[in-house]
Short mmCIF file of all heavy atoms in Angstrom, two decimals:
data_model
loop_
_atom_site.label_atom_id
_atom_site.label_comp_id
_atom_site.label_asym_id
_atom_site.label_seq_id
_atom_site.Cartn_x
_atom_site.Cartn_y
_atom_site.Cartn_z
N GLU A 1 75.27 68.50 127.85
CA GLU A 1 75.16 69.94 127.74
C GLU A 1 76.39 70.52 127.04
O GLU A 1 76.25 71.49 126.27
CB GLU A 1 74.93 70.60 129.10
CG GLU A 1 73.60 70.30 129.77
CD GLU A 1 73.55 68.91 130.39
OE1 GLU A 1 74.60 68.28 130.66
OE2 GLU A 1 72.43 68.42 130.59
N ASP A 2 77.56 69.99 127.33
CA ASP A 2 78.78 70.43 126.67
C ASP A 2 78.66 70.17 125.13
O ASP A 2 79.00 71.08 124.31
CB ASP A 2 80.03 69.67 127.19
CG ASP A 2 80.33 69.94 128.63
OD1 ASP A 2 80.00 71.03 129.13
OD2 ASP A 2 80.89 69.04 129.27
N ALA A 3 78.22 68.97 124.77
CA ALA A 3 78.06 68.66 123.33
C ALA A 3 77.01 69.52 122.69
O ALA A 3 77.19 69.95 121.55
CB ALA A 3 77.72 67.15 123.21
N THR A 4 75.92 69.79 123.40
CA THR A 4 74.86 70.61 122.84
C THR A 4 75.38 72.04 122.65
O THR A 4 75.09 72.71 121.63
CB THR A 4 73.59 70.59 123.72
OG1 THR A 4 73.13 69.23 123.81
CG2 THR A 4 72.51 71.48 123.18
N GLY A 5 76.11 72.54 123.63
CA GLY A 5 76.68 73.88 123.49
C GLY A 5 77.57 74.03 122.29
O GLY A 5 77.55 75.03 121.57
N ALA A 6 78.44 73.03 122.07
CA ALA A 6 79.30 73.07 120.89
C ALA A 6 78.49 73.01 119.57
O ALA A 6 78.81 73.65 118.60
CB ALA A 6 80.31 71.91 120.93
N ALA A 7 77.41 72.23 119.62
CA ALA A 7 76.57 72.10 118.42
C ALA A 7 75.84 73.47 118.16
O ALA A 7 75.78 73.89 117.00
CB ALA A 7 75.50 71.04 118.64
N ILE A 8 75.37 74.11 119.19
CA ILE A 8 74.69 75.41 119.01
C ILE A 8 75.68 76.45 118.49
O ILE A 8 75.34 77.29 117.64
CB ILE A 8 74.05 75.83 120.36
CG1 ILE A 8 72.84 74.94 120.63
CG2 ILE A 8 73.62 77.33 120.31
CD1 ILE A 8 72.27 75.08 122.03
N HIS A 9 76.90 76.36 118.99
CA HIS A 9 77.95 77.28 118.49
C HIS A 9 78.21 77.08 116.99
O HIS A 9 78.28 78.04 116.23
CB HIS A 9 79.24 77.14 119.28
CG HIS A 9 80.26 78.16 118.94
ND1 HIS A 9 80.33 79.35 119.65
CD2 HIS A 9 81.19 78.22 118.01
CE1 HIS A 9 81.29 80.08 119.16
NE2 HIS A 9 81.85 79.45 118.16
N LEU A 10 78.27 75.83 116.56
CA LEU A 10 78.46 75.54 115.13
C LEU A 10 77.29 76.05 114.31
O LEU A 10 77.45 76.68 113.26
CB LEU A 10 78.65 74.04 114.88
CG LEU A 10 78.67 73.61 113.44
CD1 LEU A 10 79.94 74.10 112.77
CD2 LEU A 10 78.52 72.10 113.29
N MET A 11 76.09 75.83 114.78
CA MET A 11 74.89 76.30 114.07
C MET A 11 74.92 77.83 113.99
O MET A 11 74.55 78.37 112.93
CB MET A 11 73.64 75.84 114.82
CG MET A 11 73.37 74.35 114.70
SD MET A 11 72.05 73.71 115.75
CE MET A 11 70.71 74.81 115.36
N GLY A 12 75.34 78.53 115.03
CA GLY A 12 75.42 79.98 114.97
C GLY A 12 76.43 80.43 113.93
O GLY A 12 76.22 81.39 113.19
N LEU A 13 77.56 79.73 113.89
CA LEU A 13 78.59 80.05 112.88
C LEU A 13 78.07 79.84 111.51
O LEU A 13 78.24 80.67 110.63
CB LEU A 13 79.80 79.16 113.16
CG LEU A 13 81.03 79.40 112.32
CD1 LEU A 13 81.73 80.69 112.76
CD2 LEU A 13 82.01 78.23 112.50
N ASP A 14 77.39 78.72 111.26
CA ASP A 14 76.81 78.40 109.94
C ASP A 14 75.72 79.41 109.61
O ASP A 14 75.63 79.85 108.45
CB ASP A 14 76.25 76.99 109.92
CG ASP A 14 77.34 75.93 109.84
OD1 ASP A 14 78.54 76.30 109.73
OD2 ASP A 14 77.01 74.72 109.90
N ARG A 15 74.89 79.78 110.57
CA ARG A 15 73.82 80.72 110.29
C ARG A 15 74.42 82.05 109.91
O ARG A 15 74.00 82.72 108.96
CB ARG A 15 72.95 80.85 111.54
CG ARG A 15 71.61 81.52 111.32
CD ARG A 15 70.76 81.54 112.53
NE ARG A 15 70.43 80.16 113.01
CZ ARG A 15 70.87 79.67 114.20
NH1 ARG A 15 71.66 80.35 115.00
NH2 ARG A 15 70.55 78.46 114.51
N ALA A 16 75.45 82.51 110.65
CA ALA A 16 76.12 83.82 110.35
C ALA A 16 76.76 83.83 109.00
O ALA A 16 76.81 84.84 108.34
CB ALA A 16 77.10 84.15 111.45
N ALA A 17 77.27 82.68 108.60
CA ALA A 17 77.94 82.55 107.28
C ALA A 17 76.96 82.43 106.18
O ALA A 17 77.34 82.46 105.01
CB ALA A 17 78.89 81.35 107.29
N GLY A 18 75.70 82.30 106.49
CA GLY A 18 74.66 82.17 105.46
C GLY A 18 74.67 80.82 104.78
O GLY A 18 74.21 80.70 103.65
N LEU A 19 75.19 79.80 105.48
CA LEU A 19 75.28 78.47 104.83
C LEU A 19 73.88 77.92 104.70
O LEU A 19 73.08 78.01 105.63
CB LEU A 19 76.17 77.55 105.64
CG LEU A 19 77.64 77.90 105.68
CD1 LEU A 19 78.40 76.86 106.47
CD2 LEU A 19 78.22 78.06 104.30
N GLY A 20 73.63 77.37 103.60
CA GLY A 20 72.32 76.74 103.33
C GLY A 20 72.45 75.79 102.20
O GLY A 20 73.45 75.07 102.08
N PRO A 21 71.47 75.77 101.28
CA PRO A 21 71.50 74.77 100.23
C PRO A 21 72.77 74.73 99.39
O PRO A 21 73.12 73.69 98.85
CB PRO A 21 70.28 75.16 99.37
CG PRO A 21 69.37 75.85 100.35
CD PRO A 21 70.30 76.55 101.28
N SER A 22 73.53 75.82 99.27
CA SER A 22 74.70 75.76 98.43
C SER A 22 76.00 75.66 99.24
O SER A 22 77.08 75.49 98.64
CB SER A 22 74.77 77.05 97.56
OG SER A 22 74.87 78.19 98.39
N GLY A 23 75.91 75.72 100.55
CA GLY A 23 77.13 75.66 101.36
C GLY A 23 77.34 74.31 101.97
O GLY A 23 76.73 73.32 101.55
N HIS A 24 78.18 74.24 102.98
CA HIS A 24 78.36 72.98 103.68
C HIS A 24 77.09 72.49 104.32
O HIS A 24 76.86 71.32 104.38
CB HIS A 24 79.44 73.15 104.76
CG HIS A 24 80.83 73.20 104.22
ND1 HIS A 24 81.54 72.07 103.91
CD2 HIS A 24 81.63 74.24 103.90
CE1 HIS A 24 82.73 72.43 103.45
NE2 HIS A 24 82.80 73.73 103.45
N ALA A 25 76.33 73.41 104.84
CA ALA A 25 75.10 73.02 105.57
C ALA A 25 74.02 72.76 104.52
O ALA A 25 73.07 73.52 104.37
CB ALA A 25 74.70 74.15 106.51
N ASP A 26 74.19 71.64 103.80
CA ASP A 26 73.27 71.44 102.69
C ASP A 26 72.46 70.18 102.84
O ASP A 26 72.06 69.59 101.86
CB ASP A 26 73.99 71.44 101.36
CG ASP A 26 75.01 70.36 101.22
OD1 ASP A 26 75.31 69.65 102.21
OD2 ASP A 26 75.48 70.14 100.15
N GLY A 27 72.34 69.73 104.10
CA GLY A 27 71.37 68.77 103.91
C GLY A 27 70.91 67.66 104.77
O GLY A 27 71.73 66.96 105.22
N PRO A 28 69.73 67.53 104.89
CA PRO A 28 68.62 68.33 104.36
C PRO A 28 68.21 69.54 105.15
O PRO A 28 67.42 70.34 104.71
CB PRO A 28 67.48 67.34 104.27
CG PRO A 28 67.73 66.42 105.42
CD PRO A 28 69.21 66.32 105.52
N TYR A 29 68.80 69.71 106.35
CA TYR A 29 68.34 70.76 107.22
C TYR A 29 69.40 71.78 107.46
O TYR A 29 70.51 71.48 107.90
CB TYR A 29 67.86 70.18 108.55
CG TYR A 29 66.65 69.28 108.40
CD1 TYR A 29 66.79 67.92 108.47
CD2 TYR A 29 65.41 69.82 108.12
CE1 TYR A 29 65.71 67.08 108.26
CE2 TYR A 29 64.31 68.98 107.90
CZ TYR A 29 64.50 67.60 107.99
OH TYR A 29 63.40 66.80 107.80
N ALA A 30 69.05 73.06 107.18
CA ALA A 30 69.96 74.21 107.41
C ALA A 30 70.00 74.53 108.90
O ALA A 30 69.13 74.05 109.68
CB ALA A 30 69.47 75.37 106.61
N PRO A 31 70.97 75.34 109.35
CA PRO A 31 71.08 75.59 110.78
C PRO A 31 69.90 76.31 111.42
O PRO A 31 69.68 76.17 112.63
CB PRO A 31 72.33 76.46 110.89
CG PRO A 31 72.55 77.03 109.53
CD PRO A 31 71.97 76.01 108.56
N ASP A 32 69.07 77.01 110.62
CA ASP A 32 67.96 77.69 111.20
C ASP A 32 66.63 76.93 111.04
O ASP A 32 65.58 77.42 111.38
CB ASP A 32 67.79 79.10 110.62
CG ASP A 32 67.68 79.10 109.11
OD1 ASP A 32 67.88 78.03 108.49
OD2 ASP A 32 67.43 80.18 108.56
N HIS A 33 66.68 75.71 110.53
CA HIS A 33 65.46 74.90 110.34
C HIS A 33 64.98 74.48 111.71
O HIS A 33 65.79 74.22 112.64
CB HIS A 33 65.84 73.64 109.51
CG HIS A 33 64.65 72.87 109.09
ND1 HIS A 33 64.00 71.99 109.94
CD2 HIS A 33 63.95 72.87 107.95
CE1 HIS A 33 62.96 71.44 109.32
NE2 HIS A 33 62.91 71.97 108.08
#
């Protein structure tokens, strides 16, 4: 649960930053996939 919480926090950060195909979160799944 600790590891999942940290992962969800990272996904929220990436989602808020709009990371997707052109950012760090490029692949193949974006944080909101």
Side-chain angles (χ1 to χ4, degrees):
E1 293 77 20
D2 296 331
T4 300
I8 290 169
H9 189 90
L10 174 69
M11 288 171 52
L13 185 72
D14 285 356
R15 195 176 300 112
L19 295 182
S22 63
H24 283 278
D26 63 350
Y29 297 103
D32 57 352
H33 190 280

